Amino acid sequence: MAEEINVNKISADVISELAKNAACFVVKKLRKAYKDFVSKEDIDYGTAFEKYLLEAEQHISMAKTILYGQTPQYLYSFFVCMGISNRKDIIDTSNVNNILDIGNKIIMTGTGGIGKSMLMKHIFLNTIHTTSYIPILVELRGLNDYISENISIEKYIYNILGIFGFKLEEEYFRYSLETGCYVILFDGYDEVKNANAQKVTQEIIDFSNKYSENHIILSSRPLDEFVGWSDFKEYS
């Protein structure tokens, strides 16, 4: 039990430091971009990031599998990292920096049941502990509850942050997106229903162009359409 408490404390300390550093980075970049940012510099990005990361990490670090039935298990009690390849190079995913070094826009494909969602959870958790970025895991199948014309990836991401305790107005979230402080993980692209697929595709591409300084990683089953995603590097 003592060991578990220490691990939790280490994680909380890491998150606190990451939130503080990310907040400083955001504020510094926004001061350069906006002359009126002095009136906004009391925005508490640090507290917002920390609360979000603590709640999201606790949720994402637990997962259900067929092996363990209905009882959530700590991800790293069973997860084993798999490599990703573009037919020339094999990338070790145990450290997310190896993935981020590929570029800012990445598609990771694999057949059903191979463990793409677990890998995305690992990337989320590893981003917290090995980088200065704020990770956001976006499960795209949640967009199946929307009518196509009402879909906005930007608003959907903001709603996800709110579920995990992010307490800043949407305007200030948009400011932070402009600074490139996020690793955004779009999981399960192939799970989006056909009626929404075209709108979701355009939303993701537009979002990745508008906020190109962030790292965007998308997971899916292999699809021929990715040949047309010219800005994205595809790995399997």
Side-chain angles (χ1 to χ4, degrees):
M1 178 63 73
E3 181 181 353
E4 180 180 348
I5 292 172
N6 288 337
V7 169
N8 290 340
K9 183 179 186 303
I10 290 170
S11 184
D13 288 346
V14 168
I15 286 174
S16 179
E17 188 65 21
L18 172 59
K20 181 172 65 176
N21 291 339
C24 289
F25 175 76
V26 169
V27 170
K28 184 177 180 180
K29 290 202 73 170
L30 290 179
R31 279 198 190 121
K32 291 182 179 179
Y34 294 98
K35 293 180 180 179
D36 65 335
F37 192 73
V38 65
S39 64
K40 305 184 184 75
E41 63 184 352
D42 60 341
I43 302 167
D44 195 350
Y45 281 103
T47 298
F49 285 146
E50 184 170 2
K51 184 171 179 57
Y52 156 71
L53 287 168
L54 285 168
E55 293 192 17
E57 186 196 41
Q58 184 177 12
H59 174 77
I60 290 170
S61 65
M62 304 298 290
K64 292 180 180 179
T65 68
I66 295 175
L67 179 63
Y68 294 107
Q70 298 301 310
T71 305
Q73 302 290 320
Y74 179 57
L75 182 72
Y76 292 112
S77 68
F78 63 86
F79 176 76
V80 177
C81 284
M82 64 186 82
I84 57 174
S85 171
N86 65 350
R87 298 184 181 178
K88 292 192 303 180
D89 303 312
I90 297 176
I91 307 300
D92 178 8
T93 63
S94 61
N95 187 319
V96 70
N97 288 288
N98 296 331
I99 303 173
L100 302 184
D101 286 343
I102 294 172
N104 280 36
K105 300 178 183 180
I106 301 169
I107 297 171
M108 299 193 308
T109 63
T111 54
I114 200 169
K116 299 183 295 296
S117 291
M118 295 301 174
L119 178 58
M120 295 290 264
K121 286 175 178 281
H122 158 70
I123 293 172
F124 178 96
L125 298 170
N126 198 244
T127 296
I128 292 174
H129 289 270
T130 63
T131 80
S132 58
Y133 294 103
I134 303 293
I136 306 174
L137 180 60
V138 182
E139 295 180 337
L140 292 173
R141 65 176 176 270
L143 291 170
N144 290 335
D145 296 331
Y146 290 70
I147 300 171
S148 177
E149 54 264 33
N150 293 338
I151 291 175
S152 164
I153 283 292
E154 193 171 313
K155 288 183 179 296
Y156 187 55
I157 293 172
Y158 179 70
N159 290 341
I160 290 170
L161 289 169
I163 290 171
F164 294 115
F166 189 78
K167 297 296 185 185
L168 285 182
E169 293 179 19
E170 191 171 355
E171 175 188 11
Y172 302 137
F173 167 59
R174 288 198 299 271
Y175 285 143
S176 68
L177 280 171
E178 295 173 14
T179 68
C181 69
Y182 295 100
V183 172
I184 300 174
L185 306 165
F186 291 116
D187 186 36
Y189 173 80
D190 57 296
E191 297 179 42
V192 176
K193 65 184 182 182
N194 290 338
N196 290 346
Q198 184 175 356
K199 180 64 182 296
V200 171
T201 299
Q202 195 59 55
E203 283 285 318
I204 291 174
I205 291 174
D206 289 348
F207 179 89
S208 67
N209 289 333
K210 182 178 181 180
Y211 300 114
S212 58
E213 291 192 42
N214 299 284
H215 284 273
I216 309 292
I217 302 174
L218 180 142
S219 74
S220 174
R221 295 187 187 194
L223 297 171
D224 291 339
E225 70 177 79
F226 291 139
V227 174
W229 294 42
S230 56
D231 290 341
F232 284 77
K233 297 178 180 179
E234 185 175 348
Y235 281 72
S236 59

